[in-house]
Amino acid sequence: MADEARALVRLAGPLVGANLVQMAVYAIDVIFVARLDPVDFAAATLGVFLYSVVLWAMLGLTTACAPIIAAELGQRRHAVREVRRSFRMALWLSVLGGLPFLLLLAHGETLLLLAGQNPHVAARAGQFLDVLLIALVPSITAGVMRTVAAALGRPGWALVVTLMALGFAIIGNWALVFGHLGFPARGLIGSAIASVVTTLAMLLAFIAILLLDPRLRRFRLFGRWWRPEWPRLAQIFTLGLPIAIGFTLEGSLFGGAAVLMGLISVTAVAAHAIALNIAAITFQIPLGIGQAATIRVGMAFGARDPAWMARAGWCAIMLGTGVMGLTASAIWFAPTLFVSAYLDLNAPANAQTIPLALSYLMVAAMFQLFDGAQVVLAGALRGLQDTRMPMVIAGFGYWVVGFGTACLLGFGLHWEGVGIWLGLAAGLAAVSAMLLWRWVGRERSGLVPG
């Protein structure tokens, strides 16, 4: 168990670091836009929600290549041709699957108006998305490259590239939002432009790494990039579609909560955005552990070693929930410190937003353990190439339990924002409990090869 724990930490550490820095990139956007007026802040929140739902779905679809590659490496360590095929078809899916969603995002204003959002906020969000959607396909393909590099034993590059992206985001937002370095002040649109530039820089960096890193170069990942491998494409799509739907169900729950907040007030949307961003930052730790669990459990799955599968999975679960216990304590005992990173606590304009954000953070502290457990458990089951039942669990847990409870408490009992956040907590608790049941009964369910 100790050897497995060390291997897990070596793999998860850089992924966690990269995830946290990636959230810092997102936080930079929020921090800069939060200095603008409340309408632009709400517009950015809703625009990023639509973009993120699409992006996470596509990342779920394409990064299904990770458990496939891990299983191939577990079965035979020098599966160069199979790895290359999986990578190439994942890139094909990035482009073929991403292009139709560009048309969807181009109608962001219409979608938000149909959801009952403020017309001024919807119009600004549409303008924001018209620029941001340029980054969609590059972001998906960069995600595939990052995933494959980690599966091939080079997770550290993810951290290096994301640190570079953080620098681009800081300089880009500073220059384009408020007008520095000779650029005009573009406000909300400047933040979208900075995101596009940052994403393109990440994509170019990953291409260079896959071509030049000695360990990765031997796989010749871009070899015959034009050649289709339809059976492998179908395999990735079949495994990845339930992951994509699961990611969408989870992401749209939190985004749907933002829509519900929009029915309360613009102030509620702003407070929700701040609290959710803080919770999302802590979530990156178990997310990285879950990503590592997929690879470690996947290698054990390929080797057909049930004992290794159990060690890899339980190590990840214990590590993920333990870390989230610490983050829950930090949020519970020092919520004001977290909020002060986003808002001036002494500014009269923030007098209504701050207490709402603090109340939502109290609920976020409560569901940290559930959030950590569900993402690690989903990652471990993904390593067993079990994606359909977790998708069903996500649908029931997030939308029947979670969204239903949010509507009941938020509007039925008139608890408003706090009721909506308690609904999120209920959904996460339900999903984590059902995924744990699935993991414990993996042999009974026929997930473990004999």
Side-chain angles (χ1 to χ4, degrees), residues 66-80 82-83 151 232 235 295-305 308-309 383 385 449-450:
I68 296 173
I69 289 173
E72 289 289 348
L73 294 174
Q75 186 174 0
R76 44 184 192 277
R77 285 197 165 277
H78 303 290
V80 173
E82 299 304 319
V83 168
R232 183 56 50 88
Q235 183 184 10
I295 296 171
R296 295 297 301 172
V297 174
M299 293 180 69
F301 180 83
R304 307 178 73 86
D305 187 336
W308 184 7
M309 296 177 214
Q385 302 193 12

mmCIF file of all heavy atoms in Angstrom, residues 66-80 82-83 151 232 235 295-305 308-309 383 385 449-450:
data_model
loop_
_atom_site.group_PDB
_atom_site.id
_atom_site.type_symbol
_atom_site.label_atom_id
_atom_site.label_comp_id
_atom_site.label_asym_id
_atom_site.label_seq_id
_atom_site.Cartn_x
_atom_site.Cartn_y
_atom_site.Cartn_z
ATOM 1 N N ALA A 66 -7.488 8.452 -21.821
ATOM 2 C CA ALA A 66 -6.572 8.198 -20.698
ATOM 3 C C ALA A 66 -6.697 6.784 -20.135
ATOM 4 O O ALA A 66 -5.688 6.075 -20.020
ATOM 5 C CB ALA A 66 -6.772 9.235 -19.597
ATOM 6 N N PRO A 67 -7.906 6.310 -19.750
ATOM 7 C CA PRO A 67 -7.972 4.923 -19.246
ATOM 8 C C PRO A 67 -7.625 3.898 -20.304
ATOM 9 O O PRO A 67 -7.106 2.820 -19.977
ATOM 10 C CB PRO A 67 -9.436 4.790 -18.785
ATOM 11 C CG PRO A 67 -10.180 5.865 -19.482
ATOM 12 C CD PRO A 67 -9.204 6.990 -19.632
ATOM 13 N N ILE A 68 -7.893 4.205 -21.579
ATOM 14 C CA ILE A 68 -7.534 3.275 -22.651
ATOM 15 C C ILE A 68 -6.022 3.167 -22.770
ATOM 16 O O ILE A 68 -5.454 2.065 -22.849
ATOM 17 C CB ILE A 68 -8.161 3.730 -23.985
ATOM 18 C CG1 ILE A 68 -9.682 3.674 -23.894
ATOM 19 C CG2 ILE A 68 -7.651 2.863 -25.135
ATOM 20 C CD1 ILE A 68 -10.393 4.251 -25.103
ATOM 21 N N ILE A 69 -5.335 4.304 -22.754
ATOM 22 C CA ILE A 69 -3.870 4.308 -22.828
ATOM 23 C C ILE A 69 -3.278 3.640 -21.597
ATOM 24 O O ILE A 69 -2.328 2.843 -21.691
ATOM 25 C CB ILE A 69 -3.359 5.749 -22.978
ATOM 26 C CG1 ILE A 69 -3.689 6.285 -24.375
ATOM 27 C CG2 ILE A 69 -1.852 5.819 -22.736
ATOM 28 C CD1 ILE A 69 -3.365 7.749 -24.569
ATOM 29 N N ALA A 70 -3.831 3.944 -20.412
ATOM 30 C CA ALA A 70 -3.317 3.343 -19.182
ATOM 31 C C ALA A 70 -3.456 1.826 -19.203
ATOM 32 O O ALA A 70 -2.540 1.093 -18.789
ATOM 33 C CB ALA A 70 -4.049 3.927 -17.973
ATOM 34 N N ALA A 71 -4.590 1.343 -19.703
ATOM 35 C CA ALA A 71 -4.787 -0.111 -19.780
ATOM 36 C C ALA A 71 -3.812 -0.742 -20.748
ATOM 37 O O ALA A 71 -3.272 -1.838 -20.502
ATOM 38 C CB ALA A 71 -6.225 -0.418 -20.201
ATOM 39 N N GLU A 72 -3.550 -0.084 -21.874
ATOM 40 C CA GLU A 72 -2.572 -0.606 -22.834
ATOM 41 C C GLU A 72 -1.184 -0.670 -22.214
ATOM 42 O O GLU A 72 -0.443 -1.642 -22.403
ATOM 43 C CB GLU A 72 -2.539 0.278 -24.083
ATOM 44 C CG GLU A 72 -3.782 0.166 -24.963
ATOM 45 C CD GLU A 72 -3.863 -1.173 -25.678
ATOM 46 O OE1 GLU A 72 -2.874 -1.906 -25.666
ATOM 47 O OE2 GLU A 72 -4.933 -1.477 -26.245
ATOM 48 N N LEU A 73 -0.810 0.365 -21.462
ATOM 49 C CA LEU A 73 0.497 0.370 -20.815
ATOM 50 C C LEU A 73 0.577 -0.681 -19.715
ATOM 51 O O LEU A 73 1.634 -1.277 -19.486
ATOM 52 C CB LEU A 73 0.792 1.764 -20.245
ATOM 53 C CG LEU A 73 0.966 2.888 -21.280
ATOM 54 C CD1 LEU A 73 1.103 4.227 -20.577
ATOM 55 C CD2 LEU A 73 2.180 2.621 -22.166
ATOM 56 N N GLY A 74 -0.528 -0.907 -19.017
ATOM 57 C CA GLY A 74 -0.547 -1.935 -17.978
ATOM 58 C C GLY A 74 -0.432 -3.337 -18.553
ATOM 59 O O GLY A 74 0.158 -4.230 -17.943
ATOM 60 N N GLN A 75 -0.997 -3.513 -19.734
ATOM 61 C CA GLN A 75 -0.944 -4.829 -20.384
ATOM 62 C C GLN A 75 0.413 -5.095 -21.018
ATOM 63 O O GLN A 75 0.963 -6.178 -20.905
ATOM 64 C CB GLN A 75 -2.052 -4.899 -21.438
ATOM 65 C CG GLN A 75 -2.200 -6.268 -22.077
ATOM 66 C CD GLN A 75 -3.390 -6.341 -23.002
ATOM 67 O OE1 GLN A 75 -4.115 -5.360 -23.172
ATOM 68 N NE2 GLN A 75 -3.601 -7.494 -23.613
ATOM 69 N N ARG A 76 0.945 -4.066 -21.699
ATOM 70 C CA ARG A 76 2.276 -4.196 -22.293
ATOM 71 C C ARG A 76 2.883 -2.794 -22.367
ATOM 72 O O ARG A 76 2.367 -1.914 -23.067
ATOM 73 C CB ARG A 76 2.217 -4.838 -23.679
ATOM 74 C CG ARG A 76 1.148 -4.354 -24.591
ATOM 75 C CD ARG A 76 1.151 -5.154 -25.892
ATOM 76 N NE ARG A 76 0.322 -4.514 -26.886
ATOM 77 C CZ ARG A 76 -0.993 -4.651 -26.959
ATOM 78 N NH1 ARG A 76 -1.615 -5.419 -26.071
ATOM 79 N NH2 ARG A 76 -1.688 -4.026 -27.894
ATOM 80 N N ARG A 77 3.968 -2.606 -21.684
ATOM 81 C CA ARG A 77 4.531 -1.285 -21.441
ATOM 82 C C ARG A 77 4.981 -0.546 -22.703
ATOM 83 O O ARG A 77 5.127 0.662 -22.689
ATOM 84 C CB ARG A 77 5.724 -1.400 -20.492
ATOM 85 C CG ARG A 77 5.324 -1.636 -19.056
ATOM 86 C CD ARG A 77 6.489 -1.327 -18.141
ATOM 87 N NE ARG A 77 6.060 -1.212 -16.764
ATOM 88 C CZ ARG A 77 5.547 -0.130 -16.216
ATOM 89 N NH1 ARG A 77 5.358 0.931 -16.950
ATOM 90 N NH2 ARG A 77 5.207 -0.095 -14.952
ATOM 91 N N HIS A 78 5.213 -1.258 -23.787
ATOM 92 C CA HIS A 78 5.745 -0.612 -24.992
ATOM 93 C C HIS A 78 4.704 -0.581 -26.107
ATOM 94 O O HIS A 78 5.020 -0.811 -27.272
ATOM 95 C CB HIS A 78 7.012 -1.324 -25.452
ATOM 96 C CG HIS A 78 8.079 -1.363 -24.399
ATOM 97 N ND1 HIS A 78 8.763 -0.240 -23.995
ATOM 98 C CD2 HIS A 78 8.551 -2.386 -23.638
ATOM 99 C CE1 HIS A 78 9.621 -0.558 -23.043
ATOM 100 N NE2 HIS A 78 9.516 -1.860 -22.815
ATOM 101 N N ALA A 79 3.472 -0.272 -25.721
ATOM 102 C CA ALA A 79 2.377 -0.239 -26.689
ATOM 103 C C ALA A 79 2.383 1.083 -27.449
ATOM 104 O O ALA A 79 1.459 1.879 -27.373
ATOM 105 C CB ALA A 79 1.047 -0.449 -25.964
ATOM 106 N N VAL A 80 3.455 1.328 -28.187
ATOM 107 C CA VAL A 80 3.641 2.622 -28.859
ATOM 108 C C VAL A 80 2.554 2.869 -29.883
ATOM 109 O O VAL A 80 1.937 3.951 -29.920
ATOM 110 C CB VAL A 80 5.035 2.683 -29.519
ATOM 111 C CG1 VAL A 80 5.161 3.944 -30.369
ATOM 112 C CG2 VAL A 80 6.118 2.631 -28.458
ATOM 113 N N GLU A 82 -0.462 1.582 -30.193
ATOM 114 C CA GLU A 82 -1.799 1.744 -29.625
ATOM 115 C C GLU A 82 -1.957 3.112 -28.965
ATOM 116 O O GLU A 82 -3.016 3.741 -29.058
ATOM 117 C CB GLU A 82 -2.065 0.624 -28.610
ATOM 118 C CG GLU A 82 -2.015 -0.774 -29.189
ATOM 119 C CD GLU A 82 -2.985 -0.934 -30.355
ATOM 120 O OE1 GLU A 82 -4.116 -0.414 -30.262
ATOM 121 O OE2 GLU A 82 -2.601 -1.569 -31.359
ATOM 122 N N VAL A 83 -0.924 3.568 -28.283
ATOM 123 C CA VAL A 83 -0.968 4.892 -27.655
ATOM 124 C C VAL A 83 -1.145 5.969 -28.716
ATOM 125 O O VAL A 83 -1.947 6.899 -28.571
ATOM 126 C CB VAL A 83 0.313 5.142 -26.837
ATOM 127 C CG1 VAL A 83 0.401 6.619 -26.418
ATOM 128 C CG2 VAL A 83 0.339 4.250 -25.600
ATOM 129 N N ALA A 151 -0.546 10.442 -18.714
ATOM 130 C CA ALA A 151 -0.688 8.986 -18.794
ATOM 131 C C ALA A 151 0.617 8.312 -19.182
ATOM 132 O O ALA A 151 0.871 7.165 -18.798
ATOM 133 C CB ALA A 151 -1.787 8.619 -19.790
ATOM 134 N N ARG A 232 -10.868 2.635 -33.076
ATOM 135 C CA ARG A 232 -10.376 3.317 -31.883
ATOM 136 C C ARG A 232 -11.202 4.581 -31.613
ATOM 137 O O ARG A 232 -11.491 4.910 -30.461
ATOM 138 C CB ARG A 232 -8.899 3.668 -32.049
ATOM 139 C CG ARG A 232 -8.250 4.318 -30.839
ATOM 140 C CD ARG A 232 -8.393 3.450 -29.572
ATOM 141 N NE ARG A 232 -7.990 2.102 -29.781
ATOM 142 C CZ ARG A 232 -6.735 1.659 -29.630
ATOM 143 N NH1 ARG A 232 -5.788 2.500 -29.259
ATOM 144 N NH2 ARG A 232 -6.448 0.389 -29.843
ATOM 145 N N GLN A 235 -14.237 3.435 -29.957
ATOM 146 C CA GLN A 235 -13.975 3.023 -28.578
ATOM 147 C C GLN A 235 -13.895 4.229 -27.647
ATOM 148 O O GLN A 235 -14.480 4.228 -26.561
ATOM 149 C CB GLN A 235 -12.673 2.221 -28.513
ATOM 150 C CG GLN A 235 -12.358 1.689 -27.118
ATOM 151 C CD GLN A 235 -11.008 0.977 -27.070
ATOM 152 O OE1 GLN A 235 -10.224 1.033 -28.023
ATOM 153 N NE2 GLN A 235 -10.729 0.305 -25.959
ATOM 154 N N ILE A 295 -5.535 6.779 -14.063
ATOM 155 C CA ILE A 295 -4.344 6.197 -14.694
ATOM 156 C C ILE A 295 -3.840 4.993 -13.908
ATOM 157 O O ILE A 295 -3.558 3.934 -14.489
ATOM 158 C CB ILE A 295 -3.245 7.267 -14.822
ATOM 159 C CG1 ILE A 295 -3.722 8.385 -15.762
ATOM 160 C CG2 ILE A 295 -1.940 6.654 -15.330
ATOM 161 C CD1 ILE A 295 -2.823 9.597 -15.789
ATOM 162 N N ARG A 296 -3.738 5.125 -12.583
ATOM 163 C CA ARG A 296 -3.213 4.019 -11.780
ATOM 164 C C ARG A 296 -4.158 2.809 -11.801
ATOM 165 O O ARG A 296 -3.715 1.671 -11.988
ATOM 166 C CB ARG A 296 -2.996 4.479 -10.336
ATOM 167 C CG ARG A 296 -1.928 5.547 -10.158
ATOM 168 C CD ARG A 296 -0.552 5.060 -10.562
ATOM 169 N NE ARG A 296 -0.133 3.895 -9.783
ATOM 170 C CZ ARG A 296 0.961 3.176 -10.048
ATOM 171 N NH1 ARG A 296 1.715 3.505 -11.083
ATOM 172 N NH2 ARG A 296 1.289 2.149 -9.299
ATOM 173 N N VAL A 297 -5.450 3.055 -11.606
ATOM 174 C CA VAL A 297 -6.411 1.945 -11.654
ATOM 175 C C VAL A 297 -6.469 1.387 -13.073
ATOM 176 O O VAL A 297 -6.583 0.174 -13.271
ATOM 177 C CB VAL A 297 -7.806 2.417 -11.192
ATOM 178 C CG1 VAL A 297 -8.837 1.306 -11.382
ATOM 179 C CG2 VAL A 297 -7.768 2.839 -9.723
ATOM 180 N N GLY A 298 -6.358 2.255 -14.082
ATOM 181 C CA GLY A 298 -6.375 1.792 -15.467
ATOM 182 C C GLY A 298 -5.210 0.881 -15.794
ATOM 183 O O GLY A 298 -5.361 -0.112 -16.518
ATOM 184 N N MET A 299 -4.023 1.202 -15.280
ATOM 185 C CA MET A 299 -2.871 0.330 -15.502
ATOM 186 C C MET A 299 -3.076 -1.030 -14.834
ATOM 187 O O MET A 299 -2.759 -2.074 -15.417
ATOM 188 C CB MET A 299 -1.610 1.009 -14.981
ATOM 189 C CG MET A 299 -1.207 2.250 -15.773
ATOM 190 S SD MET A 299 0.280 3.051 -15.143
ATOM 191 C CE MET A 299 1.517 1.821 -15.582
ATOM 192 N N ALA A 300 -3.644 -1.003 -13.628
ATOM 193 C CA ALA A 300 -3.933 -2.264 -12.937
ATOM 194 C C ALA A 300 -4.993 -3.061 -13.691
ATOM 195 O O ALA A 300 -4.930 -4.299 -13.762
ATOM 196 C CB ALA A 300 -4.392 -1.973 -11.507
ATOM 197 N N PHE A 301 -5.964 -2.349 -14.255
ATOM 198 C CA PHE A 301 -7.010 -2.995 -15.045
ATOM 199 C C PHE A 301 -6.396 -3.678 -16.268
ATOM 200 O O PHE A 301 -6.748 -4.816 -16.600
ATOM 201 C CB PHE A 301 -8.039 -1.944 -15.467
ATOM 202 C CG PHE A 301 -9.171 -2.471 -16.298
ATOM 203 C CD1 PHE A 301 -10.269 -3.063 -15.697
ATOM 204 C CD2 PHE A 301 -9.152 -2.359 -17.687
ATOM 205 C CE1 PHE A 301 -11.326 -3.544 -16.451
ATOM 206 C CE2 PHE A 301 -10.199 -2.836 -18.455
ATOM 207 C CZ PHE A 301 -11.290 -3.426 -17.834
ATOM 208 N N GLY A 302 -5.480 -2.994 -16.942
ATOM 209 C CA GLY A 302 -4.819 -3.591 -18.093
ATOM 210 C C GLY A 302 -3.979 -4.796 -17.724
ATOM 211 O O GLY A 302 -3.886 -5.763 -18.482
ATOM 212 N N ALA A 303 -3.365 -4.750 -16.526
ATOM 213 C CA ALA A 303 -2.560 -5.871 -16.044
ATOM 214 C C ALA A 303 -3.410 -6.997 -15.480
ATOM 215 O O ALA A 303 -2.870 -8.040 -15.097
ATOM 216 C CB ALA A 303 -1.580 -5.379 -14.975
ATOM 217 N N ARG A 304 -4.734 -6.748 -15.361
ATOM 218 C CA ARG A 304 -5.677 -7.748 -14.814
ATOM 219 C C ARG A 304 -5.270 -8.166 -13.404
ATOM 220 O O ARG A 304 -5.228 -9.353 -13.070
ATOM 221 C CB ARG A 304 -5.784 -8.961 -15.750
ATOM 222 C CG ARG A 304 -6.123 -8.592 -17.185
ATOM 223 C CD ARG A 304 -6.172 -9.809 -18.086
ATOM 224 N NE ARG A 304 -7.361 -10.625 -17.841
ATOM 225 C CZ ARG A 304 -8.543 -10.406 -18.414
ATOM 226 N NH1 ARG A 304 -8.695 -9.393 -19.252
ATOM 227 N NH2 ARG A 304 -9.568 -11.184 -18.151
ATOM 228 N N ASP A 305 -4.993 -7.163 -12.571
ATOM 229 C CA ASP A 305 -4.521 -7.395 -11.207
ATOM 230 C C ASP A 305 -5.524 -6.777 -10.223
ATOM 231 O O ASP A 305 -5.437 -5.588 -9.891
ATOM 232 C CB ASP A 305 -3.147 -6.754 -11.032
ATOM 233 C CG ASP A 305 -2.505 -7.086 -9.695
ATOM 234 O OD1 ASP A 305 -3.235 -7.410 -8.740
ATOM 235 O OD2 ASP A 305 -1.264 -6.997 -9.596
ATOM 236 N N TRP A 308 -4.093 -4.887 -7.137
ATOM 237 C CA TRP A 308 -3.525 -3.580 -7.503
ATOM 238 C C TRP A 308 -4.644 -2.558 -7.717
ATOM 239 O O TRP A 308 -4.545 -1.408 -7.291
ATOM 240 C CB TRP A 308 -2.674 -3.746 -8.761
ATOM 241 C CG TRP A 308 -1.956 -2.503 -9.202
ATOM 242 C CD1 TRP A 308 -1.884 -1.299 -8.542
ATOM 243 C CD2 TRP A 308 -1.222 -2.337 -10.419
ATOM 244 N NE1 TRP A 308 -1.142 -0.398 -9.274
ATOM 245 C CE2 TRP A 308 -0.735 -1.006 -10.429
ATOM 246 C CE3 TRP A 308 -0.922 -3.175 -11.490
ATOM 247 C CZ2 TRP A 308 0.033 -0.501 -11.476
ATOM 248 C CZ3 TRP A 308 -0.160 -2.674 -12.528
ATOM 249 C CH2 TRP A 308 0.317 -1.359 -12.518
ATOM 250 N N MET A 309 -5.721 -2.986 -8.370
ATOM 251 C CA MET A 309 -6.858 -2.090 -8.569
ATOM 252 C C MET A 309 -7.387 -1.570 -7.236
ATOM 253 O O MET A 309 -7.664 -0.373 -7.073
ATOM 254 C CB MET A 309 -7.982 -2.805 -9.318
ATOM 255 C CG MET A 309 -7.657 -3.237 -10.732
ATOM 256 S SD MET A 309 -9.052 -4.159 -11.451
ATOM 257 C CE MET A 309 -8.163 -5.339 -12.477
ATOM 258 N N GLY A 383 -11.080 4.290 -14.398
ATOM 259 C CA GLY A 383 -9.944 3.413 -14.645
ATOM 260 C C GLY A 383 -10.375 1.992 -14.943
ATOM 261 O O GLY A 383 -9.680 1.257 -15.662
ATOM 262 N N GLN A 385 -12.903 1.444 -16.657
ATOM 263 C CA GLN A 385 -13.675 1.681 -17.868
ATOM 264 C C GLN A 385 -15.174 1.539 -17.613
ATOM 265 O O GLN A 385 -15.952 1.087 -18.469
ATOM 266 C CB GLN A 385 -13.199 0.775 -19.014
ATOM 267 C CG GLN A 385 -11.719 0.990 -19.327
ATOM 268 C CD GLN A 385 -11.248 0.371 -20.614
ATOM 269 O OE1 GLN A 385 -12.054 -0.064 -21.435
ATOM 270 N NE2 GLN A 385 -9.941 0.345 -20.815
ATOM 271 N N PRO A 449 -11.794 -7.669 -14.211
ATOM 272 C CA PRO A 449 -11.552 -8.834 -15.079
ATOM 273 C C PRO A 449 -10.978 -9.995 -14.291
ATOM 274 O O PRO A 449 -10.191 -9.822 -13.363
ATOM 275 C CB PRO A 449 -10.539 -8.306 -16.106
ATOM 276 C CG PRO A 449 -9.843 -7.171 -15.428
ATOM 277 C CD PRO A 449 -10.876 -6.556 -14.516
ATOM 278 N N GLY A 450 -11.380 -11.185 -14.673
ATOM 279 C CA GLY A 450 -10.917 -12.371 -13.980
ATOM 280 C C GLY A 450 -9.553 -12.828 -14.428
ATOM 281 O O GLY A 450 -8.966 -12.321 -15.357
#
